[in-house]
């Protein structure tokens, strides 16, 4: 592997700034590795060699001309394939969008382009971001670079695997119930879901709008901080966008890295998120990191959030309700494929039905049906209405414990990466992967996964940090401390040794 590819985005940014390397050289190295490894792990659905190299050449020329550039200028990035970028296909890993090419850029893409970061391509995912293993992609699963017989998590398995396998230093993911953090956990990468509204959702193809957030996928906490500074901040194009600055996340992270502690830190261990159903090794790694935080001066408090026991149930009512509404736009009239029925008269309704039947996979259909049911007149109060009440209780649990502590911690996922096929026949077993990540989405608070250990089988384990809304900076500080305590887990990925042939 080209030595450059093992470096963090911020290290690469320094090399670019000092003129030791060019963006064309770096972007070319990423593209070559993607070409070599993608047939093996299927992390990318689309690679834009020409566009990425043109953006790299442009930023090199501007640097040579003495222009003042953004810190990450010239550092390549990959996008999960549910974010629109003009000229590149966007599929959401679904057949229904066909070869649709969006006519506009998502706000995060606009900001990435303005920062001078070449976009190498679009990454694989569970169809419309529904899943925890990337097995629901219409284009085949992504393989986990730590063990190719295992899932890379989901729905953002492609972004996580691309970063874990050193194909690209940075990627973006989206997190509705854990799709940045759980893939992070099982691929040894860092993933953050910002406070709801802190990053624009304009141009993110909606799954469940009240839960969706875009966030960074990286190999270091500092890189995640740097990327969030690029994509975050107010956007008038998103009515739920917060009107507040992102904060100096990179500075905060480097201060913690230098000090090896966070002054006056109070950490809450959530009783409901670390007991039954979690693998022994996951729990052991969790306890050991918590002890590390204590040794670094943090006060550790056990807290209880009883309503979290109902978070998964509430999520699997609210999310499908929003899914059924959001996905109604894929009707064979506006975008993507159009299938004419053969057995019934051609009417608008029969074309829509035939298109949706052919275009959507089973998991997407399952959720649309469930969502339509829970929103129907006879069942609305019993299901959707009750779930919204549970959502309020979860928000209250958070508010109560955040009076006592600065951050909450838990394992990110109950297990290390499982094998392909292990959970595909049992949706409930698949849904249980998100048990620890979902509460943060329901409450809109920021949460992040940092790799904290490698199991005896050689699989990474993740540690979750949850902070109050708007306290993303505090979350990053604690994340940096966890990374300092845990060492370079991402660097231990066996894919570093893979030959590119
Ligand atoms: N795995 C969860 C689900 O299937 C979360 C998905 C996501 O965050 N996009 O809904």
């Amino acid at each position: 592997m080209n030595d450059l590819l093992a470096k963090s985005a911020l290290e690469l940014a320094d090399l670019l700034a000092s003129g030791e390397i060019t963006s064309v050289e770096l972007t070319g190295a990423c593209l070559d590795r993607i070409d070599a490894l993608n047939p093996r792990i299927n992390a990318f659905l689309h690679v834009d060699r020409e566009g990425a190299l043109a953006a790299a050449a442009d930023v090199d020329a501007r640097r040579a001309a003495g222009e003042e550039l953004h810190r990450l200028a010239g550092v390549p990035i990959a996008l999960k394939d549910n974010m629109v970028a003009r000229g590149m296909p966007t599929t959401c890993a679904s057949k229904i969008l066909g070869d649709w090419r969006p006519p506009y850029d998502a706000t995060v893409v606009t900001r990435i382009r303005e920062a001078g970061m070449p976009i190498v391509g679009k990454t694989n995912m569970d169809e419309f971001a529904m899943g925890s293993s990337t097995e629901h992609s219409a284009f085949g699963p992504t393989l986990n670079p730590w063990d190719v017989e295992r899932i890379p998590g989901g729905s953002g398995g492609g972004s996580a695997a691309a970063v874990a396998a050193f194909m690209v230093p940075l990627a973006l993911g989206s997190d509705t119930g854990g799709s940045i953090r759980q893939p992070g956990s099982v691929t040894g990468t860092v993933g953050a879901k910002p406070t709801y509204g802190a990053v624009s959702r304009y141009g993110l193809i909606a799954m469940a709008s009240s839960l969706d957030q875009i966030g960074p996928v990286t190999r270091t906490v500092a890189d995640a901080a740097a990327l969030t500074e690029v994509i975050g901040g107010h956007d008038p194009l998103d009515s739920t966008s917060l009107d507040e600055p992102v904060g100096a996340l990179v500075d905060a992270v480097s201060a913690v890295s230098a000090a090896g502690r966070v002054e006056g830190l109070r950490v809450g261990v959530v009783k409901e998120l670390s007991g039954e159903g979690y693998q022994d090794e996951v729990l052991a790694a969790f306890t050991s990191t918590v002890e590390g935080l204590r040794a670094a001066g943090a006060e550790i408090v056990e807290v209880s959030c009883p309503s979290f026991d109902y978070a998964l149930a509430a999520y699997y009512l609210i999310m499908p309700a929003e899914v059924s509404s959001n996905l109604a736009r894929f009707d064979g009239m506006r975008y993507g494929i159009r299938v004419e029925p053969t057995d019934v008269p051609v009417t608008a309704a029969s074309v829509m039905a035939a298109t949706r039947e052919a275009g959507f996979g089973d998991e997407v259909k399952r959720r649309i049906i469930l969502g339509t049911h829970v929103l129907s007149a006879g069942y609305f109060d019993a299901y959707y209405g009750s779930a919204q009440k549970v959502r309020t209780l979860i928000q209250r649990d958070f508010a109560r414990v955040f009076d006592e502590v600065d951050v909450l911690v838990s394992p990110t996922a109950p297990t290390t990466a499982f094998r392909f096929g292990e959970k595909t026949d049992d949706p409930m077993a698949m849904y249980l992967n998100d048990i620890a990540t979902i509460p943060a989405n329901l409450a809109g608070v920021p949460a992040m996964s940092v790799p904290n250990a490698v199991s005896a089988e050689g699989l990474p384990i993740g540690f979750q940090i949850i902070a109050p809304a708007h306290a993303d900076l505090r979350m990053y500080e604690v994340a940096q401390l966890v990374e300092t305590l845990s060492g370079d887990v991402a660097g231990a990925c066996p894919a570093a040794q893979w030959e590119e042939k």
Side-chain angles (χ1 to χ4, degrees):
M1 175 168 89
N2 184 321
D3 288 346
L4 288 179
L5 300 179
K7 297 194 187 301
S8 74
L10 285 171
E11 286 167 347
L12 293 167
D14 285 344
L15 295 175
L16 287 161
S18 66
E20 276 164 79
I21 60 169
T22 65
S23 179
V24 167
E25 184 184 342
L26 170 61
T27 305
C30 289
L31 290 163
D32 289 348
R33 184 152 170 101
I34 293 169
D35 285 349
L37 298 190
N38 206 46
R40 206 151 140 191
I41 65 168
N42 199 30
F44 283 83
L45 296 178
H46 174 73
V47 181
D48 186 16
R49 177 174 278 271
E50 241 174 73
L53 287 174
D58 176 63
V59 81
D60 285 342
R62 289 195 283 139
R63 197 185 305 274
E67 202 178 301
E68 200 177 319
L69 299 170
H70 186 278
R71 170 161 46 199
L72 290 181
V75 180
I77 185 165
L79 304 174
K80 186 176 180 181
D81 202 18
N82 58 353
M83 292 166 213
V84 303
R86 188 181 297 144
M88 272 184 234
T90 299
T91 67
C92 289
S94 179
K95 285 189 290 196
I96 206 157
L97 277 161
D99 57 5
W100 180 66
R101 289 186 188 235
Y104 70 106
D105 281 339
T107 294
V108 290
V109 173
T110 304
R111 292 186 180 174
I112 281 168
R113 293 198 207 271
E114 280 168 3
M117 301 169 68
I119 299 169
V120 292
K122 309 292 293 287
T123 59
N124 200 6
M125 54 189 278
D126 285 295
E127 186 176 2
F128 284 102
M130 301 176 197
S132 304
S133 67
T134 316
E135 288 167 294
H136 297 314
S137 165
F139 307 111
T142 296
L143 278 48
N144 190 327
W146 289 76
D147 176 348
V148 294
E149 286 174 9
R150 293 174 191 267
I151 59 100
S155 63
S159 282
V163 170
F166 308 94
M167 293 161 128
V168 66
L170 301 171
L172 287 184
S174 68
D175 193 309
T176 304
S179 284
I180 293 176
R181 290 163 285 156
Q182 182 261 4
S185 181
V186 299
T187 60
T189 50
V190 174
K193 181 199 92 67
T195 295
Y196 184 78
V199 174
S200 170
R201 290 182 295 110
Y202 179 75
L204 169 70
I205 296 180
M207 176 182 167
S209 311
S210 76
L211 302 160
D212 299 341
Q213 265 300 277
I214 292 176
V217 177
T218 64
R219 286 190 304 270
T220 70
V221 171
D223 281 2
L227 180 51
T228 302
E229 287 190 25
V230 175
I231 60 172
H234 183 245
D235 177 17
L237 298 175
D238 172 357
S239 62
T240 59
S241 171
L242 293 171
D243 197 357
E244 62 186 32
V246 201
L249 303 179
V250 178
D251 291 347
V253 159
S254 27
V256 170
S257 160
R261 56 184 287 126
V262 175
E263 233 30 76
L265 178 65
R266 297 165 306 165
V267 174
V269 173
V270 190
K271 188 169 134 250
E272 287 76 10
L273 297 183
S274 53
E276 214 182 314
Y278 290 78
Q279 233 170 30
D280 289 345
E281 265 187 303
V282 168
L283 287 179
F286 174 67
T287 308
S288 137
T289 300
V290 170
E291 284 317 312
L293 291 171
R294 194 198 301 277
E299 183 192 337
I300 310 291
V301 188
E302 191 185 60
V303 299
S304 175
C305 297
S307 64
F308 285 14
D309 287 345
Y310 308 99
L312 193 70
Y315 173 82
Y316 275 95
L317 294 171
I318 294 167
M319 173 274 296
E322 296 188 24
V323 159
S324 70
S325 165
N326 274 324
L327 270 63
R329 72 192 66 171
F330 303 105
D331 55 7
M333 308 288 154
R334 298 183 178 85
Y335 339 78
I337 62 166
R338 179 189 181 102
V339 178
E340 307 253 330
T342 47
D343 51 342
V344 288
V346 175
T347 61
S350 70
V351 170
M352 287 181 201
T355 302
R356 288 163 70 84
E357 159 61 20
F360 287 139
D362 287 349
E363 183 61 23
V364 172
K365 287 178 187 154
R366 180 158 36 235
R367 295 191 192 198
I368 291 172
I369 292 168
L370 188 61
T372 309
H373 179 71
V374 305
L375 289 176
S376 60
Y379 294 96
F380 184 92
D381 290 337
Y383 294 125
Y384 185 76
S386 309
Q388 291 291 20
K389 288 182 189 148
V390 172
R391 188 173 191 174
T392 303
L393 294 176
I394 289 168
Q395 288 163 351
R396 286 189 194 151
D397 266 353
F398 271 119
R400 182 175 46 77
V401 297
F402 280 136
D403 270 346
E404 269 175 70
V405 297
D406 301 307
V407 294
L408 299 174
V409 296
S410 77
T412 307
T415 67
T416 52
F418 50 91
R419 288 177 197 281
F420 286 107
E422 231 175 83
K423 305 194 179 184
T424 32
D425 295 335
D426 183 356
M428 193 57 203
M430 191 71 92
Y431 299 167
L432 280 167
N433 283 292
D434 306 315
I435 195 110
T437 47
I438 279 172
N441 300 80
L442 288 171
V445 300
M448 145 169 216
S449 181
V450 179
N452 69 327
V454 177
S455 74
E457 277 180 307
L459 298 170
I461 296 172
F463 185 89
Q464 178 174 235
I465 302 133
I466 310 175
H470 316 284
D472 299 56
L473 189 137
R474 182 35 69 105
M475 170 179 81
Y476 273 96
E477 290 179 330
V478 181
Q480 178 56 53
L481 190 52
V482 170
E483 182 177 276
T484 305
L485 292 169
S486 312
D488 182 17
V489 173
C493 179
Q497 263 67 57
W498 288 354
E499 292 299 325
E500 288 160 31
K501 49 172 196 253

